[in-house]
Amino acid sequence: MAEAEKHDSSPNEHLALDPTIRDDASARLRSIRGHIDGILRMLERDDVYCVDALKQIKAVDGALAKVGDRVLRGHLKHHVVTAHERGDEDAIVDELMDVLKYR
Amino acid sequence: MAEAEKHDSSPNEHLALDPTIRDDASARLRSIRGHIDGILRMLERDDVYCVDALKQIKAVDGALAKVGDRVLRGHLKHHVVTAHERGDEDAIVDELMDVLKYR
Amino acid sequence: MAEAEKHDSSPNEHLALDPTIRDDASARLRSIRGHIDGILRMLERDDVYCVDALKQIKAVDGALAKVGDRVLRGHLKHHVVTAHERGDEDAIVDELMDVLKYR
Amino acid sequence: MAEAEKHDSSPNEHLALDPTIRDDASARLRSIRGHIDGILRMLERDDVYCVDALKQIKAVDGALAKVGDRVLRGHLKHHVVTAHERGDEDAIVDELMDVLKYR
């Protein structure tokens, strides 16, 4: 949590996430939080079945991947395709590969 | 959300998730919800950087995969290895493969 | 390569892969080998485009995942569901989780 | 196989894969082909154990992911970061997202 709030010392701090994508990502994450609340209520039941829990975790994972895809697409479109013009292409590619590896 | 709460008509409703794993999964999911709250606060900032958001989404994804691994291990240990004795092995294997595919 | 041929000291060496699944896996792997040969020929061209190569790698990855799914399903059906009866459920679950993690 | 050899009608046919990366990818794919040959020999044995086959498939999958990572890094570095200058950023981003989705 603390980790999520701290400002990473990125070499590209001036490159902000597009406001439309930011709003979309927030809406999706709020929906995911609601889905997790649903799983938490599900797990209060004594008779909850493992596979039903696994299905819900998989659904959350899919929803989370969609948020990632939107943010990634925005990053590519707004920052990566212009990296050579700015001259920060090495940093842009290195940090992107770090995030994409085994995603 | 609604989907997470509805009781799936599983052929194995009598096979309940082990209470220790249930508690562990709940604790982990509450922590994940906190992490998501952190990302939501992060996304309120005008200058949030895409890759910082992607890193946090990736971290949540890893934490979610760990919950899934715990529940899966419990399911294998408590229900799958005894399926032949109960005689529900076909249903157990089919539903497990559905969840594991492309996970 | 050498690694693929050495016999792992599994606690369950008597549990052999079902012959039908073995034949199916072999046929699929030969087809994958052919697909890889196709990519190798593709890579001989000076003008091969990165994304065309990435698409083919992704297709091979999908085909490989299908082989894994078939072998996994066979293992679950023939060996995992009977593990409690044999008394080797701890070993069966541990080694399976090792293979499934981050797959 | 046929699919691997056909030339996709990409909007960026003039953007060729870097020769160094092309050689590295070819060397890695030849090694993967050798690994697959090893699995095929492994599968000729009557007593091959499912989990040993799954481990080898997982190893090949990891090796394949590394080839993909190298080609992707090269594509980002040589073609994506310059897309805005060329004016083909929409096509570049769309086709890249197609390949990255669920990879």
Side-chain angles (χ1 to χ4, degrees):
Chain A
M1 210 173 341
E3 203 189 326
E5 286 166 86
K6 91 170 202 306
H7 201 179
D8 289 13
S9 57
S10 152
N12 309 295
E13 288 186 32
H14 56 292
L15 301 171
L17 181 53
D18 179 83
T20 314
I21 298 170
R22 207 151 51 87
D23 290 349
D24 176 75
S26 294
R28 285 172 185 275
L29 285 170
R30 277 191 296 271
S31 159
I32 287 171
R33 194 179 49 185
H35 200 147
I36 289 174
D37 285 335
I39 307 180
L40 282 165
R41 280 192 294 276
M42 189 190 200
L43 291 173
E44 283 167 15
R45 293 202 322 262
D46 285 345
D47 66 339
V48 62
Y49 180 49
C50 311
V51 175
D52 291 342
L54 287 174
K55 281 179 192 168
Q56 296 306 324
I57 291 167
K58 192 182 182 177
V60 169
D61 189 56
L64 200 63
K66 264 185 199 153
V67 184
D69 276 355
R70 303 293 174 106
V71 176
L72 174 60
R73 178 182 281 274
H75 183 53
L76 289 169
K77 194 174 170 185
H78 297 116
H79 306 142
V80 181
V81 299
T82 47
H84 184 255
E85 287 161 83
R86 279 193 315 278
D88 60 5
E89 66 258 50
D90 286 347
I92 281 273
V93 170
D94 282 350
E95 66 180 13
L96 188 53
M97 285 307 297
D98 271 353
V99 172
L100 290 178
K101 234 183 283 171
Y102 301 102
R103 78 176 190 129
Chain B
M1 211 173 340
E3 204 189 326
E5 287 165 86
K6 91 170 201 306
H7 201 180
D8 290 13
S9 57
S10 152
N12 309 293
E13 287 186 31
H14 56 293
L15 300 170
L17 182 53
D18 179 81
T20 314
I21 298 169
R22 208 150 52 87
D23 289 349
D24 177 76
S26 294
R28 285 173 185 275
L29 284 170
R30 277 191 295 271
S31 160
I32 287 171
R33 193 179 50 185
H35 200 145
I36 289 174
D37 285 336
I39 306 179
L40 282 166
R41 282 192 293 276
M42 190 190 199
L43 290 173
E44 283 166 15
R45 293 202 321 262
D46 285 344
D47 66 340
V48 62
Y49 180 49
C50 313
V51 176
D52 291 342
L54 287 174
K55 281 179 192 168
Q56 296 307 324
I57 291 167
K58 192 183 182 177
V60 169
D61 189 56
L64 200 63
K66 265 185 199 152
V67 184
D69 276 355
R70 303 293 174 107
V71 176
L72 173 60
R73 178 182 281 275
H75 182 53
L76 289 168
K77 196 176 169 183
H78 296 116
H79 306 140
V80 182
V81 298
T82 47
H84 185 254
E85 287 161 82
R86 279 193 314 278
D88 61 4
E89 66 258 50
D90 286 347
I92 281 274
V93 170
D94 282 350
E95 68 180 10
L96 188 53
M97 285 307 297
D98 270 354
V99 172
L100 290 177
K101 233 182 286 171
Y102 300 103
R103 77 176 191 128
Chain C
M1 209 173 341
E3 204 190 325
E5 288 166 85
K6 92 170 200 308
H7 201 180
D8 289 13
S9 58
S10 152
N12 308 293
E13 289 186 31
H14 56 293
L15 301 170
L17 182 54
D18 179 83
T20 314
I21 298 170
R22 207 150 54 88
D23 289 350
D24 176 76
S26 293
R28 285 173 186 274
L29 285 170
R30 277 191 295 270
S31 159
I32 287 171
R33 193 179 50 185
H35 200 147
I36 290 174
D37 284 336
I39 306 179
L40 282 165
R41 280 191 294 276
M42 190 190 199
L43 290 173
E44 283 167 15
R45 293 201 323 261
D46 284 345
D47 66 340
V48 62
Y49 180 48
C50 311
V51 176
D52 291 343
L54 287 173
K55 280 179 192 168
Q56 296 307 324
I57 291 166
K58 192 182 182 177
V60 169
D61 189 56
L64 200 62
K66 265 186 199 153
V67 184
D69 276 354
R70 303 294 175 107
V71 176
L72 174 60
R73 178 182 279 274
H75 183 52
L76 289 169
K77 195 174 171 183
H78 297 115
H79 306 141
V80 182
V81 299
T82 47
H84 185 255
E85 287 161 84
R86 278 192 316 277
D88 61 4
E89 66 258 50
D90 286 346
I92 281 274
V93 170
D94 283 350
E95 66 179 14
L96 187 53
M97 285 306 298
D98 271 354
V99 171
L100 289 177
K101 234 182 286 170
Y102 303 103
R103 78 182 190 122
Chain D
M1 208 172 346
E3 204 189 327
E5 287 166 87
K6 91 172 201 305
H7 201 179
D8 289 13
S9 58
S10 152
N12 307 295
E13 288 186 31
H14 56 292
L15 301 171
L17 181 53
D18 180 82
T20 314
I21 298 170
R22 207 149 53 87
D23 289 350
D24 176 76
S26 294
R28 286 173 185 274
L29 285 169
R30 277 191 295 270
S31 160
I32 287 171
R33 194 179 49 185
H35 200 145
I36 289 173
D37 284 335
I39 306 179
L40 282 166
R41 280 192 295 276
M42 190 190 199
L43 291 172
E44 284 166 14
R45 292 202 323 262
D46 285 344
D47 66 340
V48 62
Y49 180 49
C50 312
V51 176
D52 291 343
L54 288 173
K55 281 180 191 168
Q56 296 308 323
I57 291 167
K58 193 183 181 176
V60 168
D61 188 56
L64 200 62
K66 265 186 199 152
V67 184
D69 276 354
R70 303 294 174 107
V71 176
L72 173 59
R73 178 183 280 275
H75 182 53
L76 288 168
K77 196 175 170 183
H78 296 116
H79 307 140
V80 182
V81 299
T82 48
H84 185 253
E85 287 162 82
R86 279 193 315 277
D88 60 5
E89 66 259 50
D90 286 347
I92 281 272
V93 171
D94 282 350
E95 66 180 13
L96 187 52
M97 285 307 297
D98 271 353
V99 171
L100 290 178
K101 232 182 287 172
Y102 301 101
R103 78 178 190 126

